[in-house]
Amino acid sequence: HLSPPDAIRQRELNGAEVLIAGFPSLEGGLSTRTPVYRRGIVASGEFGVRAGDTMVPMYLLDLTGIPGFSGSPVAACPW
């Protein structure tokens, strides 16, 4: 578990390339055990949600998603 980044670091992530992975169930397509990956960018990292005494950072991603990506891990692209 990492501590939330400060507001300046959140803004620095704007435009960063990210990769998500999920297991969407596609009708007549891939099995639910086949991972699907999508690349996108952080469109905005300038807001958060309060959880008790802590501000939890939230990020708006610009990417093509499909049902099944909810809760998917997000990672910075290594390239």
Side-chain angles (χ1 to χ4, degrees):
H1 177 73
L2 300 174
S3 58
D6 60 33
I8 292 171
R9 177 70 182 130
Q10 274 187 263
R11 284 190 296 277
E12 287 175 359
L13 291 173
N14 289 349
E17 208 170 353
V18 292
L19 180 71
I20 66 168
F23 293 89
S25 61
L26 304 171
E27 290 184 29
L30 302 171
S31 94
T32 57
R33 294 175 165 251
T34 303
V36 175
Y37 303 94
R38 292 286 189 265
R39 273 178 33 180
I41 64 166
V42 176
S44 177
E46 300 181 25
F47 56 98
V49 195
R50 186 157 300 286
D53 293 334
T54 305
M55 183 63 83
V56 178
M58 301 291 288
Y59 299 94
L60 176 64
L61 303 180
D62 184 4
L63 52 87
T64 302
I66 52 180
F69 280 126
S70 324
S72 294
V74 177
C77 286
W79 51 88

